[in-house]
Amino acid sequence: MFLFPLSRFSFNLSGIVDKFRIVGGQPLHGRVSISGAKNSALPCMAAALLTPETVTLHNIPYVRDIITQRRLLEDIGATVLTPELRTHKITASHVEVFEAPYELVKTMRASVLALGPLLARFGKAKVSLPGGCAIGTRPIDLHLSGFEKFGANVKLEAGNVVARAPADGRLCAADVHFSKVTVTGTENLMMAATLARGTTTLRNAAREPEIVDLADLLNKMGARVNGAGTETIQIEGVEALGGAEHTIIPDRIETGTFIVAAALTCGELEIKDCRPDHLESVISQLRRAGVLIQELNPNTLQVSCPQGVNAGDVSTAPYPAFPTDMQAQYMVLMTQARGRSEIIETVFENRFMHASELQRMGAQIQIDGRSAIVDGPTPLTGARVIASDLRASASLVLAGLIAKGETMIDRVYHIDRGYEKIEAKLLAVGAEIERIRALVTTGQLQEVQPIVETV
Ligand code: UD1
């Protein structure tokens, strides 16, 4: 694990942090393969808690959040085997702990996805309440009020959500209208409803492709879910679910990030193993801005941008509108566009953290509440910047790819949560990027040699 003998050092070692060093200016050329969708893999892994039989999932991305989710499942008592790197065989036959502890929930909010399956199958669940996070307060009140509609008793005890099913241990179906579209809220209630008594209707449900993917898996397990992908989902509860085998859909946000990378660097990328039909709003917005995006076949895109890009306004909203998870990457593109664009963030209240880092690199961005005005084109220059959340870090990598000189991105653990080997994928198509591993000691940071990984 360590790159040199620790005995050479006399300080107190307190951790290892990774950074990216990027030298901008290289157009990207070549072929890149898209990994499985983290946001689909996480609920599908949680769904394995609904059955004592084995659920086999393929195309699981090799990212930090998946490792966290795996740890959560194992802590709960499930067995997780990985016969191949991207295949997980999950068996939750002997569950003894019905709890997601704070140590895991604080690093990954999606741990709350354990609530629905545990409550539905075992009639009890305890999950630490996620606190605030970098992109806003992000409550889970809609998950909890949904469980109450299913007849569960939900209490907050010492920072934990403690939920119990009615006396006979089984949830009752309900008619739930979400006052706000919530992705993991829809997933949590959909999973809980599969084993509830009666037929549940979820209204104003999220319509993301990840919801459809989860419903597909649940139906393979024997559930009766209808309408996933529309705003009304009906789930007829069954007595028990069984094992299943399922392949996770490609990551649409990783796909969008590489489309922007090709356009920004004036390169040409073939993006394979993707699902263009899952990112129509992104593709049409980028085409309007002048990016050439050709669909070579249903799973491959060819992207170039010979004429540069024009400014274009965008507003984020739940699927099928422009995703909030692509907002930061789009903002970087707009710094290079001809003219002024307005980006409105409607999903999260505090999701412009990347803007101040981009300003430090020379971008002209003014933030006013939920609106960002970007003036372009502005040449960017390399700087030391700090990643604040997953998608913000992707935007800083993109900015580094076109900045003059060297960009050093700190706290890349954020990007490792959701992008599989992004530096190796970029390196393979011509970017000058390396991972620097540093030892943090009490009071000092000492750099170690670059880590070079292949795809
Ligand atoms: C999921 C995605 C995340 C994406 C987000 C929006 C996963 C693991 N993460 O997050 O990448 O950015 O969808 O597309 O799939 N809200 C409430 N009460 C609730 C739940 C949500 O007020 O009980 C609010 C949130 O604060 C936010 C909005 O609803 O303003 C949407 O959040 P939600 O869709 O729940 O996001 P996540 O599922 O956490």
Side-chain angles (χ1 to χ4, degrees), residues 426-448:
L426 287 169
L427 196 65
V429 291
E432 208 177 320
I433 179 170
E434 63 189 359
R435 184 180 286 260
I436 307 284
R437 189 150 287 177
L439 299 179
V440 184
T441 65
T442 38
Q444 59 176 306
L445 188 70
Q446 177 148 348
E447 280 180 14
V448 192

Side-chain angles (χ1 to χ4, degrees), residues 39 109 138-143 180-184 324-325 347-348 351:
N39 285 355
R109 297 184 76 262
R138 292 181 86 174
I140 57 162
D141 55 314
L142 301 175
H143 305 226
K180 192 169 187 181
V181 177
T182 159
V183 177
T184 47
T324 173
D325 285 352
V347 180
F348 291 109
R351 210 177 194 181

Side-chain angles (χ1 to χ4, degrees), residues 40-183:
S40 190
L42 292 173
C44 287
M45 289 170 77
L49 293 172
L50 286 163
T51 173
E53 295 180 16
T54 301
V55 172
T56 303
L57 299 172
H58 303 289
N59 203 30
I60 297 270
Y62 186 62
V63 297
R64 172 77 39 203
D65 273 7
I66 295 297
I67 296 167
T68 308
Q69 188 75 331
R70 179 188 175 146
R71 217 188 110 194
L72 171 68
L73 296 178
E74 288 175 336
D75 282 4
I76 285 173
T79 314
V80 185
L81 301 177
T82 46
E84 289 165 40
L85 184 64
R86 290 174 186 80
T87 294
H88 283 37
K89 279 178 169 297
I90 307 166
T91 313
S93 49
H94 302 291
V95 172
E96 281 148 24
V97 181
F98 307 95
E99 187 174 342
Y102 180 64
E103 288 64 44
L104 292 181
V105 181
K106 77 175 181 198
T107 59
M108 188 186 68
R109 297 184 76 262
S111 318
V112 299
L113 286 166
L115 258 179
L118 287 178
L119 188 57
R121 182 166 155 217
F122 303 102
K124 54 187 168 184
K126 181 171 158 187
V127 170
S128 174
L129 191 66
C133 72
I135 60 175
T137 47
R138 292 181 86 174
I140 57 162
D141 55 314
L142 301 175
H143 305 226
L144 303 185
S145 60
F147 293 135
E148 281 176 338
K149 287 224 165 90
F150 289 159
N153 179 297
V154 181
K155 284 187 293 190
L156 188 64
E157 283 175 6
N160 297 304
V161 173
V162 181
R164 279 190 177 272
D168 68 350
R170 194 164 176 200
L171 297 174
C172 317
D175 198 320
V176 179
H177 183 107
F178 291 103
S179 56
K180 192 169 187 181
V181 177
T182 159
V183 177

Side-chain angles (χ1 to χ4, degrees), residues 170-225:
R170 194 164 176 200
L171 297 174
C172 317
D175 198 320
V176 179
H177 183 107
F178 291 103
S179 56
K180 192 169 187 181
V181 177
T182 159
V183 177
T184 47
T186 302
E187 291 163 349
N188 232 341
L189 296 198
M190 192 162 83
M191 288 190 280
T194 57
L195 293 177
R197 185 176 290 112
T199 299
T200 292
T201 305
L202 303 179
R203 299 176 201 278
N204 197 27
R207 290 181 277 165
E208 271 69 0
E210 293 76 22
I211 303 280
V212 179
D213 205 30
L214 175 62
D216 285 349
L217 168 65
L218 292 170
N219 286 340
K220 285 178 189 169
M221 293 166 69
R224 297 192 189 133
V225 181

